[in-house]
Each structure stands twice: as structure tokens, then as C-alpha cells.
Amino acid sequence: VGEWTVASVFEWVNFLLSTMILPSMRHVLGSSFFWLVAVAHSGSSMAKSSLRIVATYLADTNSSRNDISHLNMAGLSVFLSVGTVLGLVIAGHLFAVPTQQMRSRKWLVSKLYLTMIVSCYVLAALAVPSVGHALDDLTLVLQVLALFMLGFGTSVPYYHLPSLVSANFPQHKALFLSLTEGVAYGIAGWLWKIVGRIVAASDDGWAYGWACVALLLILTAVLMVEFLEHFYCRPQQTGPDGGVYETIVFA
């Protein structure tokens, strides 16, 4: 009975692999949609995962302040999450309106990506020691505001866009979303390792680190917006606007 039970388990596992898991994996991994979205998703994933290093950034760039402890600096990182929640409430609602045209949704996404990019450059500028000394107490206020805007910009690109594309995989949505997260966070994790080395290399490390995050966001924003333009906006165009082609620059 023991041998029969073991054999039946292996037979059942083989059945699942051959009829469900492997075909789904081949279907998702063989799709250009998946790889485009997964790579483009790495930008917003990196912005989202910055929550883990924000407290260290604030502590390092405000080390001269004696009126706020490192514990309080860590507490200020919550403004990144607050921005994301507010972004989901406001921008997420606008994106999810059923009557919203796809091109209007693309415009919204491009504006949110630009918000993330500008926020990262602001954080980079505020990490320069000479700028911090010149602004003094205003530095921390601007940093918290930039973190809030970074979270706001992350909302729709991170949470809504993968779900939008998953509609192209009606029987494999869960696998598509899981693999997209895996690839995106794999790329983001590798880039955070590079950013960490840059930060540790000099006193201006945080400035260069956030500039690298902004560069990744620029590249992934262009990729994602061009993807939306080509696969979602242009197929819906009719009439005199049928030949219009817009990029993130003109959005």
C-alpha cells in the first residue's frame, strides 16, 4: 500500500505539471506582452521598494540634526505609503472610471511617472551636503514632501497596470501577475545592490543613488507608455485622429 501511495502521488504531480503548470508557464513566458510589462514594471517596483531604505536616507542626510532621533526619521517614511494610498484613492479612481478613454488613462500614467521621476531628482538634490546645509530645517520638510509625491506617483503604475495587462491572459492571470512581480523585483533588487554600493562610495552617494533610480524610472516610463500607446491606444483610434501617435514626451 505504501508503494502504491507513493506512486500515485508522483503520478498526480506529473499530471499537474504536464496538464496545468507547465502549459501555463510556457504560455506566459512565451508572450512578448509579459516580458515588456515585467521589465517596465521594475521601475515602479523599485520606487515601491524604496520604502525599505527611506529611513536610512533620512537619517544619513539629516545626521547633523539633534532635535529628531533616528527612530522618528524611520517614522517619517510612512509618508511614502500615505502618498500611495492617496494616489490609489484619487488617481486610481480616475484610471478605473469605466467611461475613461484609454488615451486619457495613458496621459494619467505618464503624468504619474513624471511625478515619480521629479520626486527622485528632488530627493537626489536634497542629499547633496551643500544643499542640505543651505536649506537647513527646510531640507527634511522637502524630503518628506518628495517622498509623499513619490508614493502618489507609484500608485497606478504599480497596482493597476499589471492588472490591466493580465486581462490578456484570462486563464493565467494569477501566474502572469506573480511572474511579473518576480521579474520586476528581481531587476529592482539587482539595481538596489548597485545603488547601495554607490551610496557607500562617497558623501554624495545618496544623490547619485536617487539619480540612478530616476534614470531607471525614465527608461521604464518610456517603455510602459509606448507599450500602452502601441497596444491599447492606437487600436482604439478612429476617424481623423487615427494616425495620431503620442509618446511620453507629448503626453
Side-chain angles (χ1 to χ4, degrees):
V1 176
E3 293 181 358
W4 180 87
T5 302
V6 172
S8 64
V9 169
F10 278 106
E11 183 179 353
W12 179 246
V13 170
N14 181 64
F15 172 78
L16 290 176
L17 287 173
S18 60
T19 61
M20 299 178 63
I21 299 176
L22 292 180
S24 295
M25 293 283 289
R26 283 194 293 265
H27 181 77
V28 174
L29 294 177
S31 170
S32 59
F33 270 43
F34 164 75
W35 290 106
L36 281 171
V37 174
V39 173
H41 189 54
S42 63
S44 57
S45 297
M46 193 166 189
K48 182 71 169 58
S49 61
S50 66
L51 180 65
R52 296 176 176 86
I53 56 90
V54 163
T56 305
Y57 162 74
L58 292 176
D60 289 348
T61 54
N62 294 276
S63 57
S64 60
R65 295 176 62 101
N66 297 320
D67 56 331
I68 301 179
S69 67
H70 284 195
L71 182 61
N72 290 332
M73 292 288 185
L76 291 175
S77 63
V78 74
F79 281 93
L80 182 65
S81 299
V82 171
T84 301
V85 172
L86 190 61
L88 289 172
V89 172
I90 299 175
H93 173 73
L94 294 175
F95 186 86
V97 172
T99 58
Q100 186 82 291
Q101 293 293 324
M102 192 60 215
R103 186 169 297 283
S104 297
R105 292 178 177 176
K106 192 203 74 172
W107 290 343
L108 175 62
V109 169
S110 67
K111 298 302 186 295
L112 292 173
Y113 267 113
L114 289 173
T115 300
M116 285 192 283
I117 293 166
V118 172
S119 299
C120 287
Y121 277 124
V122 170
L123 292 169
L126 294 173
V128 177
S130 59
V131 175
H133 291 315
L135 295 175
D136 197 21
D137 292 345
L138 189 59
T139 301
L140 184 59
V141 176
L142 294 176
Q143 286 174 332
V144 171
L145 180 60
L147 289 173
F148 176 84
M149 295 308 298
L150 177 62
F152 188 93
T154 304
S155 56
V156 170
Y158 180 81
Y159 288 102
H160 284 67
L161 294 184
S163 298
L164 174 69
V165 183
S166 69
N168 294 284
F169 301 84
Q171 298 179 349
H172 314 283
K173 286 184 178 181
L175 182 62
F176 170 82
L177 293 172
S178 299
L179 292 176
T180 298
E181 288 287 296
V183 172
Y185 271 108
I187 297 173
W190 176 71
L191 290 174
W192 273 125
K193 184 178 181 179
I194 297 176
V195 170
R197 292 178 178 177
I198 294 173
V199 170
S202 68
D203 292 337
D204 295 330
W206 278 113
Y208 294 120
W210 280 111
C212 290
V213 176
L215 177 60
L216 174 67
L217 283 169
I218 291 173
L219 297 175
T220 56
V222 171
L223 182 60
M224 182 64 82
V225 172
E226 290 295 324
F227 170 80
L228 294 175
E229 172 69 29
H230 184 75
F231 291 103
Y232 286 89
C233 295
R234 300 204 78 186
Q236 294 182 2
Q237 290 181 175
T238 58
D241 296 330
V244 174
Y245 184 83
E246 294 180 345
T247 67
I248 191 173
V249 178
F250 303 108

